[in-house]
């Protein structure tokens, strides 16, 4: 009779980032299995510890942070985008303006605070407001981006966290009408090159409400979503020009670049340090 790894053995190997094909191995008896487990556990614990040591003694910054730096450097030094820093606490009114009202699927995912305020589930409301105001004052193209925490109540799983980091770029009045999708594709390709992620696809989706959108996808995982205008929501913000925007999920990017199976390894955590498990 063949033996499989026990639940706790599997769990421990998963914690230590074992390759998934290893988890379903079959053994001729329990002693062979336990011997295999023990050897693997020692080997993976050692690799895990070495990863922590190499972070502390050499790299000093986790992948999540270097990915953000790569994007910021590309945007500010190559693309002349300006970084903005806006409030994490936003008003119910700002969400309503995004038509995130009672019927919208995102509404049930919002973390509400006292006084009709919430933790922002996205950066778009603040960026809409800023780019509209900047354009009114300056009457010239506006290229801005923000990188920061967003919050959504999620049913967890390997791809979602309740708090994650979005980097959202927007460009207003910089592309002639009809050229928006091409500009989006160009920004998407250049961003991925800046981060050194080479294996990905661009997927165009057409929705009745939002028109055409562009997703960046790798290994079936959505890494970023892009959209463009003129858009039915624009008038609420006093925006009447063409625009393009992309929101990148930085943890998803770190997950794919680092080859991790679970987003929790690379997100805000007390259990993991740059993908390595702490209680080894
Ligand atoms: P999904 O369909 O995968 O839940 P989404 O389409 O709702 O994502 P967007 O609103 O398009 O997400 O947000 C832009 C990007 O932010 C996504 O492409 C993804 O990379 C990231 N993202 C969204 N929600 C989460 C989450 N809960 N945890 C981690 N990253 C997220
Ligand atoms: Mg999306």
């Amino acid at each position: 009779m063949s033996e499989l790894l026990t639940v706790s053995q599997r769990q421990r190997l998963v914690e230590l980032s074992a390759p998934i094909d290893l988890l379903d191995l079959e053994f001729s008896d329990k002693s062979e299995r336990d011997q295999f487990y023990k050897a693997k556990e020692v080997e993976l614990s050692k690799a895990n510890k070495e990863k922590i040591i190499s972070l502390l003694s050499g790299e000093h910054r986790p992948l999540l942070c270097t990915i953000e730096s790569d994007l910021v450097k590309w945007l500010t030094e190559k693309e002349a985008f300006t970084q903005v820093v806006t409030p994490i606490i936003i008003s119910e009114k700002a969400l309503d303006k995004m038509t995130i009202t009672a019927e919208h699927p995102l509404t049930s995912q919002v973390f509400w605070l006292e006084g009709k305020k919430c933790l922002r589930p996205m950066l778009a409301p603040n960026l809409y407001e800023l780019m509209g105001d900047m354009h009114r004052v300056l009457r010239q193209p506006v290229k801005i981006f923000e990188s920061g925490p967003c919050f959504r109540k999620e049913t967890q799983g390997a791809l979602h966290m309740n708090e994650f980091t979005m980097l959202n770029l927007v460009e207003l009045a910089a592309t002639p009408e009809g050229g928006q999708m091409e500009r989006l594709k160009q920004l998407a390709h250049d961003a991925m090159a800046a981060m050194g992620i080479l294996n990905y696809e661009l997927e165009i989706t057409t929705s009745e409400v939002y028109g055409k959108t562009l997703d960046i996808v790798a290994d079936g995982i959505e890494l970023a979503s892009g959209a463009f205008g003129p858009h039915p929501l624009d008038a609420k913000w006093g925006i009447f020009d063409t625009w393009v925007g992309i929101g990148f999920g930085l943890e998803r990017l770190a997950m794919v670049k680092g080859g991790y199976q679970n987003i929790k390894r690379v997100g805000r955590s007390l259990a993991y340090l740059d993908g390595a498990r702490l209680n080894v």
Side-chain angles (χ1 to χ4, degrees):
M1 213 181 72
S2 69
E3 293 289 340
L4 297 171
L5 290 165
T6 67
V7 172
S8 61
Q9 286 174 339
R10 283 174 63 111
Q11 199 175 331
R12 180 67 182 150
L13 294 180
V14 168
E15 281 174 6
L16 292 171
S17 256
I20 34 175
D21 51 347
L22 206 130
L23 304 176
D24 295 321
L25 289 179
E26 293 182 22
F27 305 91
S28 52
D29 56 41
K30 283 190 175 139
S31 121
E32 189 197 36
R33 175 195 69 191
D34 293 346
Q35 237 175 343
F36 170 85
Y37 166 75
K38 211 156 179 195
K40 268 293 158 203
E41 211 270 346
V42 169
E43 177 195 319
L44 291 169
S45 293
K46 188 160 168 262
N48 189 76
K49 191 165 174 187
E50 274 161 11
K51 184 147 177 39
I52 297 174
I53 291 169
S54 116
L55 176 72
L56 298 184
S57 63
E59 293 137 30
H60 299 304
R61 300 190 73 216
L63 188 54
L64 182 65
C65 298
T66 58
I67 279 183
E68 182 180 47
S69 297
D70 289 345
L71 283 175
V72 170
K73 194 170 156 64
W74 163 66
L75 283 166
T76 54
E77 294 178 13
K78 294 253 164 54
E79 298 285 340
F81 276 74
T82 297
Q83 187 162 16
V84 298
V85 187
T86 72
I88 289 172
I89 297 176
I90 65 171
S91 67
E92 185 180 28
K93 235 169 61 199
L95 273 195
D96 283 350
K97 262 171 121 173
M98 296 295 299
T99 57
I100 301 179
T101 48
E103 314 78 51
H104 195 284
L106 215 94
T107 301
S108 59
Q109 294 188 276
V110 173
F111 284 96
W112 290 104
L113 305 171
E114 286 170 13
K116 299 197 170 213
K117 295 197 173 296
C118 67
L119 298 175
R120 62 185 182 194
M122 47 164 62
L123 303 176
N126 289 351
L127 294 179
Y128 247 129
E129 173 120 18
L130 263 191
M131 76 175 179
D133 287 349
M134 287 168 83
H135 189 52
R136 252 188 309 285
V137 173
L138 302 171
R139 292 283 149 213
Q140 63 179 47
V142 173
K143 295 159 69 137
I144 56 174
F145 73 94
E146 175 160 15
S147 174
C150 289
F151 303 82
R152 295 182 191 177
K153 290 182 186 168
E154 301 279 3
T155 43
Q156 301 301 315
L159 296 178
H160 292 92
M161 299 187 76
N162 283 334
E163 43 183 309
F164 61 99
T165 321
M166 187 112 79
L167 187 150
N168 204 151
L169 63 87
V170 286
E171 197 179 66
L172 176 66
T175 306
E177 178 57 45
Q180 294 98 320
M181 183 53 90
E182 273 321 297
R183 178 64 180 145
L184 265 188
K185 285 185 186 168
Q186 186 196 350
L187 285 167
H189 286 310
D190 293 351
M192 299 309 275
M195 291 179 280
I197 303 177
L198 305 174
N199 292 319
Y200 63 91
E201 276 140 46
L202 301 186
E203 287 182 2
I204 297 174
T205 314
T206 311
S207 97
E208 254 178 59
V209 189
Y210 297 107
K212 275 192 178 157
T213 56
L214 180 84
D215 280 357
I216 308 176
V217 179
D219 305 330
I221 300 172
E222 181 191 313
L223 303 178
S225 272
F228 63 84
H231 185 285
L233 285 182
D234 295 356
K236 293 189 189 183
W237 310 87
I239 285 169
F240 304 98
D241 284 281
T242 61
W243 61 267
V244 302
I246 307 181
F248 296 88
L250 297 190
E251 288 82 3
R252 297 251 183 111
L253 290 162
M255 194 183 155
V256 163
K257 187 164 184 198
Y260 297 106
Q261 311 287 333
N262 196 309
I263 195 166
K264 281 165 199 70
R265 300 194 93 89
V266 293
R268 290 176 185 270
S269 176
L270 296 175
Y272 295 102
L273 206 60
D274 194 26
R277 180 90 186 175
L278 274 174
N279 62 344
V280 281

